Amino acid sequence: MVNSEGNMGEPTVQDGASVWRIARDSHVLDVNSSYSYLLWCRDFAATSVVARDESGTAAAFATGYIRPEQPGTLVIWQIAVDGKRRGRGLGGAMLDHLTGRLRSRGVLQRMETTISAENEASQRLFHSFAARHGASVEHEPLFPARLFPDAHESEHLYRIGPLAESPTPTPGTQYSETRRTRSVAS
Ligand SMILES: CC(C)(COP(=O)(O)OP(=O)(O)OC[C@H]1O[C@@H](n2cnc3c(N)ncnc32)[C@H](O)[C@@H]1OP(=O)(O)O)[C@@H](O)C(=O)NCCC(=O)NCCS
């Protein structure tokens, strides 16, 4: 069983291969080199999170970094949940876990991510996160398709903030093995 907190934490290089597999099998994320995930799990572990199953294998991950020019802003680079575990609150629980960890280590005011126009699940995930954290959401085009050298959808920048000092605890932050216990309106 993957629970909301017990098996959630910083990735290690041992998680790198599983994180790469989850990204590959999502059929949504850009699949970067396996090397890049190993490197991320080494150098950006403090701003990333994995949720492990009962065997200790990563079943979901979020990779992030603090924006160099905005030290109060956490950028979520990629987030994905293993296909059979989606829709049960795990994505939201990872974002809450990561935010809580970074808050305990310093100032965190905002979150940013990029989402394509067609990715409703991801839009919903981040709107829901914003609602729990008393934050507003603004979005604008960031990388139009013409900037990409290959066939790639446009990516919109989502700015979430300012994050409340004390996020509203809701059942929506608890991952359930079987179902969501309550929805959070955005
Ligand atoms: C996006 C993703 C990480 C969400 O993870 P998850 O664990 O399924 O999300 P949660 O269960 O925490 O749900 C978060 C919210 O999204 C909603 N949601 C989840 N899947 C959805 C779907 N397919 N369609 C619409 N809404 C969806 C949930 O209802 C919930 O909303 P609520 O809080 O208002 O009830 C997951 O769907 C995934 O791995 N997708 C493939 C990779 C991807 O697209 N990553 C994001 C790239 S920007």
Side-chain angles (χ1 to χ4, degrees):
M1 172 178 178
V2 181
N3 63 36
S4 63
E5 290 298 327
N7 297 327
M8 217 172 268
E10 292 187 13
T12 70
V13 291
Q14 277 70 36
D15 295 308
S18 297
V19 167
W20 175 81
R21 281 189 202 98
I22 296 165
R24 179 197 63 186
D25 295 345
S26 74
H27 301 298
V28 174
L29 295 181
D30 289 342
V31 185
N32 300 284
S33 69
S34 53
Y35 175 88
S36 75
Y37 292 99
L38 290 171
L39 189 70
W40 206 273
C41 289
R42 189 189 85 141
D43 285 348
F44 295 91
T47 49
S48 302
V49 58
V50 291
R52 299 186 183 88
D53 66 16
E54 53 285 336
S55 71
T57 304
F61 76 92
T63 46
Y65 63 91
I66 298 293
R67 241 191 129 192
E69 292 176 359
Q70 291 178 346
T73 300
L74 170 68
V75 180
I76 299 296
W77 175 44
Q78 291 193 314
I79 180 167
V81 173
D82 176 61
K84 60 183 179 296
R85 298 177 194 273
R86 290 183 193 162
R88 301 174 189 173
L90 188 51
M94 287 196 298
L95 293 179
D96 290 347
H97 172 96
L98 185 52
T99 307
R101 187 205 303 160
L102 290 171
R103 271 191 177 286
S104 72
R105 295 178 185 178
V107 178
L108 182 68
Q109 294 152 338
R110 310 189 71 83
M111 178 182 283
E112 291 185 359
T113 195
T114 71
I115 308 179
S116 64
E118 289 72 27
N119 196 335
E120 188 184 344
S122 188
Q123 291 164 16
R124 192 80 214 150
L125 171 71
F126 284 97
H127 274 288
S128 212
F129 170 85
R132 285 195 302 281
H133 291 258
S136 60
V137 183
E138 295 172 0
H139 54 91
E140 60 190 84
L142 180 67
F143 301 136
R146 65 178 163 72
L147 289 182
F148 291 96
D150 51 357
H152 198 294
E153 292 173 307
S154 300
E155 292 280 345
H156 292 251
L157 175 66
Y158 280 63
R159 297 181 205 268
I160 299 168
L163 302 176
E165 290 288 326
S166 306
T168 310
T170 72
T173 64
Q174 295 296 310
Y175 170 66
S176 159
E177 189 67 23
T178 52
R179 64 187 173 83
R180 295 296 304 277
T181 49
R182 199 182 99 190
S183 294
V184 181
S186 63

